[in-house]
Amino acid sequence: MSQNEDTASYFKALGHPVRLQIARKLMEGEKCVSEVENMLSISQANTSQHLSILKANGIVDCIRKGNIKCYFLKEPGKIQGLLAVLENTIQEKG
Amino acid sequence: MSQNEDTASYFKALGHPVRLQIARKLMEGEKCVSEVENMLSISQANTSQHLSILKANGIVDCIRKGNIKCYFLKEPGKIQGLLAVLENTIQEKG
DNA sequence: CTAGTATATAACAATATAATTATATACTAA
DNA sequence: TTAGTATATAATTATATTGTTATATACTAG
């Protein structure tokens, strides 16, 4: 895939409110699937599906720890950087 | 809309290869619809539709200049910043 | 082994997005 | 006015994404 398509695909993966929320939560540290599920109040299956899209785009990765799987941001700095660009607007004095 | 949804929507708008390409082209300066159309080799109608999505998300804006409409990035720094985060990876020495 | 827990996947229905085609609108020039 | 150019919109079809439900897999504990 071209870099343009890769980048578009990365944006697309973050372009869903649930997946963006997951990325935000993972900025706090790694979480297992059921933690994500409970924090966002979505079904187990849907949580797993969204995580799998994030993983396919290299945004998260996971390690199994016994019976559970812990997901974490692969490059937290990227997510932080993107959100800084879009959301950390400097407020001017009123 | 919440900030999370706004941000997700912004990512989603950029999450299509054609729209991301349009944003890249507009980094070079404003372009009219037919210029975008020719540069990307897509139909006039489709060009207009993609531009309208970018506009709805505050990524571009346009001004009419007589018979043509010129589109430009509303906040070029944001696009540049996002692409810098994702694509300007520093290459390590081999 | 069995039962229980955690997660993933498959199948489906609902919805959204995308691209094409046809048509409408807005402007310019004569 | 009319004809021509530039762009937008509507209608349609094709495709993709989403969420749910049911089921499968992988592991742990006993």
Side-chain angles (χ1 to χ4, degrees):
Chain A
M1 238 194 322
S2 70
Q3 184 179 47
N4 188 66
E5 282 171 337
D6 283 342
T7 301
S9 185
Y10 195 100
F11 282 137
K12 186 175 178 179
L14 291 177
H16 186 290
V18 164
R19 288 191 295 268
L20 185 56
Q21 266 301 141
I22 292 176
R24 286 185 205 278
K25 292 295 185 186
L26 295 186
M27 286 178 71
E28 301 164 6
E30 68 177 31
K31 310 264 182 239
C32 72
V33 178
S34 68
E35 283 176 316
V36 173
E37 179 187 341
N38 292 327
M39 287 188 308
L40 304 194
S41 300
I42 56 179
S43 74
Q44 182 274 314
N46 201 14
T47 304
S48 187
Q49 287 161 347
H50 282 302
L51 284 169
S52 132
I53 289 169
L54 290 171
K55 186 152 180 281
N57 282 278
I59 295 171
V60 306
D61 205 349
C62 62
I63 49 168
R64 181 174 282 281
K65 290 187 177 173
N67 205 13
I68 69 177
K69 265 172 134 178
C70 291
Y71 280 79
F72 54 90
L73 291 179
K74 242 176 143 177
E75 296 165 300
K78 275 195 184 176
I79 302 300
Q80 224 168 23
L82 295 177
L83 293 180
V85 168
L86 293 187
E87 299 181 347
N88 291 359
T89 303
I90 307 300
Q91 301 301 123
E92 298 290 330
K93 285 191 287 191
Chain B
M1 239 195 319
S2 71
Q3 184 179 46
N4 188 66
E5 282 172 337
D6 284 342
T7 301
S9 184
Y10 196 100
F11 281 137
K12 186 175 178 179
L14 291 178
H16 186 291
V18 164
R19 288 193 295 269
L20 185 56
Q21 267 300 141
I22 292 176
R24 287 185 205 277
K25 292 296 184 185
L26 295 185
M27 287 178 72
E28 301 164 5
E30 67 177 32
K31 310 263 183 241
C32 72
V33 179
S34 68
E35 283 176 317
V36 174
E37 179 187 341
N38 292 327
M39 287 187 310
L40 303 194
S41 300
I42 56 179
S43 74
Q44 182 273 314
N46 201 14
T47 304
S48 188
Q49 287 161 346
H50 282 303
L51 285 168
S52 132
I53 289 170
L54 290 171
K55 187 154 180 279
N57 282 278
I59 295 171
V60 306
D61 204 350
C62 62
I63 47 169
R64 182 174 280 283
K65 290 187 177 175
N67 205 14
I68 69 178
K69 264 173 135 177
C70 290
Y71 280 80
F72 54 90
L73 291 178
K74 241 177 143 177
E75 297 165 300
K78 275 195 184 177
I79 303 300
Q80 224 168 24
L82 295 177
L83 293 180
V85 168
L86 293 187
E87 299 181 346
N88 291 359
T89 304
I90 308 298
Q91 299 301 124
E92 298 288 330
K93 283 191 289 191

